[in-house]
Amino acid sequence: IAESTVVDPEVRAHVYSLVTALGGFNGEDADKYVLGDDALACLRDIKRWLKLYDEKYNRMDVARCLGEANLVNGDLLPILSTFAHSKKQTKYMSRIALACLEILVPLTWPLEMQGEMMADNFKHIPYLQHSHVAYKRGILNHASTGYLRTIIRIGLPSMAIPRPERATRDEGILKLMLFFLRNIALITPNTRLAAEGDEEETSRSATINAFQDQDVFALILTMCSNVGDDFNMQDVALLEILFHLVRGIDVDKLFMDDTQRTAKRTDELDDLLRKESSLRREYAKNAPTRHGRFGTMIWVKRDDAKYSTVSGQSVLKDDQTTFQKMDESKKWNKPQFRRKVQDLTLYNDFSTPVHINSAASENLRKFVEEFLDSGFNPLFTHVRKAIEREADRVVDINTRQFFYTVSWFLQAERARRARQREKRAQSERPGKEIEPDSFGLVASVLDQETFVFLNRAMQYAVDNKDWQDLTAEMRCFTQILLTVQDMVQSPLEEDQEIAENIQNRIFYEETTHDRVIAIVRGYTDQGFGYLNACTELSHVFLRMLERYSKENVDMQVRSRRRARRKQKEAGGVVEGENDEEHGSEDEDMLEAERMSKERSFDFRRFAAKFCNQKCVDTFVSFTKHYRELNTEQLKRAHRYFYRIAFKQEMSVLLFRLDIINLFYRMIKGPGALDSSKSIYKDWEELVRQIYRKLTRKLEQRPALFVELLFSKTNATTFYLEYGHERQTLPSV
Amino acid sequence: STMPILGVDDKVKVSKHRRFVAKLDESRLLSHSGIPKLRRTSRQRLRLKGKGHEYSDVARLLNFYQLWLDNLYPRAKFADGLAIIEKLGHSKRMQTMRREWIDEEKPKALAAEA
């Protein structure tokens, strides 16, 4: 009953009759798929239904019927298999195969759950998500036919034609082929729906292995390295395939060899076991030593002759457990306001880690290395230009994909270099001179055009509150900075010079500095991906800028604000005069704003801009995740708080009870950091020093007892830190 | 008889208003048991030992504030209460009060310096 009401019965009847007429497994040989007499026309009709009903009226009814009729696994794939195994290429069969591809692409197209869609469609989406996964499973799990290879075979004749002679139809076929591969790479089982069958069969590992086995990687490499000459229109589709292949995969793990990876895995398992045992130990410490009805109860004597009662034996042990239990027994929770999830499409999420098995790691790594050697520069230059000139094939999401993919591959290049260095260091003959590699392989994203593009994109994302885009761009910027840092240490003089040049360009613009600060200050509730990216960016940016400004003592930056303020002062003098002059005066003002001045750069003053409540709050939100953070991330937070408390002498910013409480939990528990790790010692020492400062400050200035509750204003901070008012006005 | 039996015929009174829920707001924070009490008691009740006892000192400090908050607004958990109070601190009235409390201490500090 349900089935018939979901879709208009007439539509269903039409679609079913087409699927039935297409062909089937009935004939003399039951194993052989027999095409119906009018198979090609049926396929074209099905395509027409998809186009003229689903697409035109913005529905998903036909797609749903085709899913229920099992068209893909029951008909299209067997037909493609017949095509693949046929000895001689008939024109009819290749047309049939192409018609299959033309249906497969819309049937596997990503399901967007965006606003404009008809409300009606939402009921189809879970079903279609399921069927997408089933399609992917059918396509990847070939018994005798490599379907991906077959699809490539459909496109090969068009590929072979040189671009100037290629017809629109050929370009269309190439597009279809690439979008099919993109769709296959993209389909992921929805974790919110119950899994059907083995998830491993449609995982990223399975995709990568199939891509390797069926020469899809070879195809991608060929197209990427010739993107400027023969495959002008395919750049964006290639970018999308790459994005969906690599998103979420840990670069460092990818570039380990098997023994290292096993060791790393053992370490991780070891870590997890230790975490679990420490959890258990902690529980055992506070667990009751008698049975559950032993019934202990204590009084907590408070001032004003008041008492609180707390029950349970554990509370006898110490104050901390008693107080904690008092707190836990409260039932009311402060209402939380959560940001609505803006991006409903799972496909573009790159912050969630993805794990792949060792065979897939090996395959992907080989591909990545070859891509870096041949395809990186041509592809990314071409895509950047396409996005910049807003070519028709570009959609909004491509910008995000571009920056994320660039950052991923830059990181991969750095990981590869690190691994090579390691290998050379370990090799038996250290005396042998090896020609050092230049950074030319990734040069295309280190040019001035890319920086301009990146800067503009970041500013646009900040202005439009596009947090996902901004996260990708921050990661890209961080990786560029780290790559440049590696270049500085390159043995090649040319590389060093270029790196110097790039740093000069990056650090010359004061707007870049201000933007980094604005981003860190701008965190409210954009999620962990943003938090991780912005703290990493600020960490890397600050450290590199510090080093660079030390080496270049007379560093200059292009500043805009000073010019503006002078103009304002000048404007104040003439304000009393007649209004007619105001028009031109405003123009002068604008001109002055645009005018920029060079001034010498003072790192200390720049670093001081990170010392405010907003930035501290961002890092505190980051540190709140301390139980899930890795050593590198914990170190990042540690360095920041160290800078606040001791380098900039602004420890007052940390004297707020929730921060003090957080630090206490990190060290003393419950749920403390693993005390056997070295990073624990660093934190323990830092927190101790901060606490020492705190107790001293409380003695000196009792007003802090109240101010501990609040975020402090600038004037208050200054007074609490130094004991007097700020004498001069802070210069901007 | 016309006498109602056991109140069965009486109309049931439906109270219109929900029970009043106390809020942690400025006036509560500035009341006798709020910040004034904190200012009165913190100095005497909290004896901090200083160097070498950083963690136990801070534990005592945290406990002291927890009890104070529990007294002031028993409904909220410690962390929740702190978040609410921190937010209240942004208001105009609280800002002026905080300014005053700091200024009260200042002459003493200046005198000590001189």
Side-chain angles (χ1 to χ4, degrees), chain A residues 707 710-711, chain B residues 89 94-102:
Chain A
E707 286 296 312
F710 305 108
S711 298
Chain B
M94 286 304 298
Q95 296 275 10
T96 35
M97 290 305 292
R98 283 165 63 187
R99 190 81 253 157
E100 272 175 36
W101 290 323
I102 289 179

Side-chain angles (χ1 to χ4, degrees), chain B residues 77-94:
Chain B
K77 294 190 176 108
F78 186 42
D80 288 347
L82 288 180
I84 295 171
I85 291 177
E86 202 283 323
K87 208 169 175 189
L88 288 175
H90 295 284
S91 77
K92 195 107 192 181
R93 186 171 163 209
M94 286 304 298

Side-chain angles (χ1 to χ4, degrees), chain A residues 302-304 306 308 319-320 323 326-328 330-334 656-658 660-661 664 667-668 683-684 687-688 691-692 694-695 698-713 715-716 719 723 725, chain B residues 29 35 37-39 42-43 45-46 48 50-52 54-55 57-59 61-63 65-68 70-71 73-80 82-86 88-90 94-95 98-99 101-102 105-106 109 113:
Chain A
R302 310 165 57 156
D303 44 358
D304 308 335
K306 273 197 199 165
S308 295
D319 286 0
Q320 281 322 97
F323 276 83
M326 271 171 71
D327 206 41
E328 275 169 4
K330 295 185 178 180
K331 290 206 177 64
W332 184 73
N333 285 312
K334 188 169 165 279
R656 207 175 62 195
L657 278 171
D658 59 331
I660 293 165
N661 197 19
Y664 190 85
I667 306 299
K668 292 283 170 184
W683 268 97
E684 209 261 341
V687 174
R688 184 192 299 282
Y691 283 175
R692 184 176 297 171
L694 171 67
T695 39
L698 281 170
E699 298 274 312
Q700 281 171 5
R701 296 187 234 301
L704 189 57
F705 276 109
V706 176
E707 286 296 312
L708 265 182
L709 293 167
F710 305 108
S711 298
K712 293 143 204 63
T713 61
T716 318
Y719 165 72
E725 296 291 327
Chain B
L29 194 58
I35 287 179
K37 181 177 166 193
L38 191 69
R39 284 161 52 79
S42 56
R43 266 292 186 48
R45 311 253 335 159
L46 260 179
L48 300 176
K51 202 177 164 183
E54 288 87 0
Y55 281 97
D57 273 353
V58 167
L61 181 84
L62 288 170
N63 290 348
Y65 277 95
Q66 189 182 329
L67 278 185
W68 168 77
D70 186 65
N71 231 353
Y73 191 66
R75 198 167 141 83
K77 294 190 176 108
F78 186 42
D80 288 347
L82 288 180
I84 295 171
I85 291 177
E86 202 283 323
L88 288 175
H90 295 284
M94 286 304 298
Q95 296 275 10
R98 283 165 63 187
R99 190 81 253 157
W101 290 323
I102 289 179
E105 163 187 316
K106 267 181 192 167
E113 263 175 46

Side-chain angles (χ1 to χ4, degrees), chain A residues 668-729:
Chain A
K668 292 283 170 184
L673 287 171
D674 184 355
S675 56
S676 59
K677 288 225 171 116
S678 68
I679 192 73
Y680 173 85
K681 308 244 159 45
D682 293 351
W683 268 97
E684 209 261 341
E685 190 52 35
L686 173 73
V687 174
R688 184 192 299 282
Q689 297 299 337
I690 291 173
Y691 283 175
R692 184 176 297 171
K693 272 201 168 192
L694 171 67
T695 39
R696 218 179 300 145
K697 272 267 143 32
L698 281 170
E699 298 274 312
Q700 281 171 5
R701 296 187 234 301
L704 189 57
F705 276 109
V706 176
E707 286 296 312
L708 265 182
L709 293 167
F710 305 108
S711 298
K712 293 143 204 63
T713 61
N714 287 337
T716 318
T717 314
F718 195 87
Y719 165 72
L720 290 173
E721 190 73 55
Y722 302 105
H724 58 86
E725 296 291 327
R726 203 191 287 262
Q727 294 300 317
T728 49
L729 280 170

Side-chain angles (χ1 to χ4, degrees), chain A residues 235 328 423 425 463 504 572 582 630 685 698:
Chain A
D235 50 356
E328 275 169 4
K423 268 193 177 166
D463 293 343
N504 197 12
H582 266 276
N630 60 32
E685 190 52 35
L698 281 170

Side-chain angles (χ1 to χ4, degrees), chain A residues 188-454:
Chain A
T188 11
N190 188 345
T191 42
R192 281 176 292 186
L193 294 178
E196 221 172 54
D198 190 358
E199 287 201 25
E200 192 50 44
E201 288 175 352
T202 50
S203 66
R204 189 73 64 81
S205 304
T207 315
I208 289 169
N209 291 337
F211 272 34
Q212 170 67 30
D213 293 342
Q214 303 186 35
D215 300 325
V216 179
F217 280 152
L219 174 89
I220 297 173
L221 283 173
T222 313
M223 293 188 100
C224 285
S225 47
N226 292 309
V227 87
D229 315 320
D230 270 341
F231 304 107
N232 255 331
M233 305 297 284
Q234 282 74 34
D235 50 356
V236 176
L238 287 167
L239 169 75
E240 290 201 27
I241 296 176
L242 289 176
F243 173 78
H244 290 295
L245 277 175
V246 301
R247 70 188 158 102
I249 288 179
D250 184 348
V251 174
D252 291 327
K253 262 190 222 166
L254 192 68
F255 277 87
M256 290 170 183
D257 50 31
D258 258 347
T259 44
Q260 279 174 317
R261 205 176 297 130
T262 324
K264 168 100 180 153
R265 263 196 212 129
T266 323
D267 280 355
E268 280 173 355
L269 180 64
D270 198 39
D271 262 5
L272 283 177
L273 287 175
R274 212 171 325 147
K275 220 180 234 175
E276 193 189 354
S277 71
S278 81
L279 264 181
R280 241 195 250 126
R281 225 184 7 256
E282 199 172 287
Y283 171 75
K285 238 193 275 170
N286 299 320
T289 50
R290 307 267 182 233
H291 59 80
R293 304 177 131 200
F294 200 69
T296 321
M297 183 180 252
I298 64 158
W299 281 349
V300 179
K301 200 170 167 191
R302 310 165 57 156
D303 44 358
D304 308 335
K306 273 197 199 165
Y307 291 95
S308 295
T309 51
V310 193
S311 67
Q313 303 147 47
S314 58
V315 298
L316 288 173
K317 210 166 295 161
D318 59 13
D319 286 0
Q320 281 322 97
T321 14
T322 318
F323 276 83
Q324 203 198 322
K325 200 137 194 190
M326 271 171 71
D327 206 41
E328 275 169 4
S329 61
K330 295 185 178 180
K331 290 206 177 64
W332 184 73
N333 285 312
K334 188 169 165 279
Q336 304 268 334
F337 295 102
R338 286 258 173 86
R339 177 188 290 270
K340 257 195 302 184
V341 183
Q342 285 176 332
D343 211 342
L344 283 168
T345 45
L346 298 151
Y347 319 117
N348 296 313
D349 166 47
F350 50 77
S351 299
T352 318
V354 173
H355 299 285
I356 53 176
N357 61 33
S358 64
S361 298
E362 200 58 35
N363 286 334
L364 185 63
R365 194 180 75 210
K366 258 189 239 149
F367 167 71
V368 167
E369 296 195 60
E370 282 174 45
F371 176 77
L372 284 167
D373 290 339
S374 66
F376 184 93
N377 282 336
L379 179 72
F380 286 124
T381 314
H382 211 267
V383 172
R384 177 176 54 72
K385 284 182 182 161
I387 296 176
E388 276 183 324
R389 75 163 182 270
E390 296 178 350
D392 286 340
R393 56 185 185 278
V394 175
V395 291
D396 284 347
I397 194 73
N398 292 143
T399 316
R400 188 191 305 178
Q401 290 170 337
F402 173 79
F403 286 116
Y404 176 77
T405 317
V406 167
S407 80
W408 196 91
F409 278 103
L410 280 179
Q411 200 181 350
E413 174 64 14
R414 285 181 37 243
R416 175 164 78 155
R417 285 170 169 276
R419 187 158 162 265
Q420 279 167 350
R421 269 201 304 277
E422 221 171 84
K423 268 193 177 166
R424 275 178 205 156
Q426 281 172 359
S427 68
E428 296 293 300
R429 293 160 295 169
K432 194 185 160 201
E433 278 295 307
I434 307 159
E435 189 77 1
D437 309 316
S438 89
F439 280 80
L441 291 176
V442 291
S444 68
V445 295
L446 300 174
D447 54 7
Q448 184 63 13
E449 284 89 349
T450 309
F451 297 146
V452 173
F453 179 46
L454 177 62

